[in-house]
Amino acid sequence: MSKFNHQRQYVWLFILPQIIITLIFFIWPAANALLQSFFYTDAFGIKQRLAYFSNFTDLFADSGYIEAIKVTLILAFSITVVTMTLGLLLAALVKARHKSQKIYKSLLIWPYAVAPAVAAILWRFLCHPTLGWITSILQNWGIEFDYVNHTNQALLVIILSASWQQFSYNFLFYLAAMQSIPATIEDAAVLDGANSWQCFWHIIFPLLSPTTFFLIIMNFMYGFFETFGIIQVMTHGGPGASTTNLIYKVYQDGFEGMDLGSASAQSVLLMFLVIAISLVQFKYIEKKVHYS
Amino acid sequence: MNRVMKIGAHLFLCLFIIIMLLPIYLAVVAASHEGSLLMHTRLPYTPGSLFFYEYESGLRAGVSGNRGRAAI
């Protein structure tokens, strides 16, 4: 019994640093944001007045916030569809190669090594309204391209640069998942008379469903929270508010508008969203995926 | 038919890789030209002559604004 207690002390000793880090860097800021969201605070952060739930109710009366929700959903959905479709297609093609598989794999994961802000700078150069290569090519084809002034083009450029970065992640996961499927399953289907298309849709794709579900969650999280760097470098949320998503609006309201109460309320809503997504991920990722 | 599909797959993969690596190639090209050129004219499609010079000065003195001074 005393040995057991002695071991328990060691367990606490080992997990204590992680608990301290979590408390200082996660729980404390989150609790502060939660507290701040119930107050009106002046621009200098000196005077505070209790606002109860006004910061939250004001958000849903603000057309800018509703627009930001729309932009966030468009971004997240587009990035998810583009990256997952391309990731699956390319993973299937690369998996079928034998000698050249390593070369293709190495080249296709390069974009993942580029930091979001650097990726945004590169895409800004490529799509620059007067100096960019893509602009030049499109102008030669008679297409007017100026993402700085056109709202739809700005959104498209953000989707392209974010998808460019996130594609490699999807590709790697799909490739790893495909490689882990035993060849005997595919061989059995071929013996039963299935062609390669049927084999893919009826055997391989259902077996990839846990990976697909995981990637849907991760891509949505990326679209929601990790596009800040790209938006900040490329468009600053503009033109107008056409590329202002929820996370960028927190920054705009909190650091540019100095409305700390509203920014905290937005952060709290985003925090609950992350908690909800994480719960869905943990609860359903293993249980609700069926192999037909 | 099988051979045609194989070549087609390779071609598609190569084309996709070219598109994917275009921004990285742009970084290499931009790093090999004079900084002022990038701000005023369209960037050339081929690398310039300053590739090694830019990287050497980048490694020795940090960012381009710091040339001539020791990196901190």
Side-chain angles (χ1 to χ4, degrees), chain A residues 113-272:
Chain A
V114 179
V118 178
I121 289 169
L122 295 176
W123 278 91
R124 200 174 71 170
F125 260 118
L126 273 175
C127 301
H128 193 280
T130 50
L131 310 172
W133 285 353
I134 289 178
T135 315
S136 158
I137 293 165
L138 290 176
Q139 275 171 355
N140 285 341
W141 291 346
I143 302 166
E144 194 200 336
F145 185 76
D146 181 3
Y147 83 90
V148 177
N149 291 315
H150 291 95
T151 52
N152 289 340
Q153 289 179 1
L155 203 57
L156 183 73
V157 165
I158 297 290
I159 291 167
L160 272 179
S161 36
S163 301
W164 177 76
Q165 241 225 328
Q166 187 66 358
F167 156 79
S168 306
Y169 186 82
N170 289 261
F171 164 75
L172 269 184
F173 269 86
Y174 268 133
L175 186 65
M178 279 182 189
Q179 284 173 336
S180 68
I181 295 171
T184 48
I185 296 174
E186 230 174 310
D187 293 342
V190 172
L191 278 176
D192 285 343
N195 59 31
S196 52
W197 186 251
Q198 287 170 326
C199 205
F200 181 79
W201 280 114
H202 299 293
I203 308 290
I204 306 293
F205 192 65
L207 286 174
L208 293 175
S209 53
T211 310
T212 304
F213 188 77
F214 170 76
L215 286 175
I216 288 172
I217 300 282
M218 294 312 286
N219 287 326
F220 259 86
M221 294 274 252
Y222 177 85
F224 267 66
F225 305 106
E226 288 173 48
T227 43
F228 175 83
I230 292 173
I231 293 170
Q232 170 70 357
V233 171
M234 292 195 80
T235 60
H236 293 281
S242 61
T243 55
T244 301
N245 64 357
L246 288 172
I247 200 87
Y248 196 76
K249 191 157 169 54
V250 172
Y251 167 76
Q252 270 186 334
D253 289 352
F255 292 94
E256 290 175 4
M258 302 301 283
D259 186 355
L260 298 176
S262 175
S264 300
Q266 291 174 46
S267 304
V268 169
L269 288 179
L270 281 172
M271 188 172 72
F272 284 127

Side-chain angles (χ1 to χ4, degrees), chain A residues 76-147:
Chain A
F77 185 74
S78 310
I79 291 167
T80 305
V81 170
V82 170
T83 53
M84 286 185 69
T85 311
L86 286 174
L88 182 64
L89 176 70
L90 271 289
L93 284 175
V94 170
K95 196 209 162 222
R97 312 274 79 78
H98 298 290
K99 288 178 191 168
S100 51
Q101 195 185 88
K102 278 185 181 171
I103 299 169
Y104 285 130
K105 202 164 68 179
S106 308
L107 289 171
L108 284 169
I109 59 171
W110 276 22
Y112 200 61
V114 179
V118 178
I121 289 169
L122 295 176
W123 278 91
R124 200 174 71 170
F125 260 118
L126 273 175
C127 301
H128 193 280
T130 50
L131 310 172
W133 285 353
I134 289 178
T135 315
S136 158
I137 293 165
L138 290 176
Q139 275 171 355
N140 285 341
W141 291 346
I143 302 166
E144 194 200 336
F145 185 76
D146 181 3
Y147 83 90

Side-chain angles (χ1 to χ4, degrees), chain B residues 43-62:
Chain B
L43 189 67
Y45 292 113
T46 50
S49 56
L50 298 175
F51 185 82
F52 291 107
Y53 171 76
E54 292 284 358
Y55 275 91
E56 193 203 333
S57 48
L59 287 170
R60 276 183 170 202

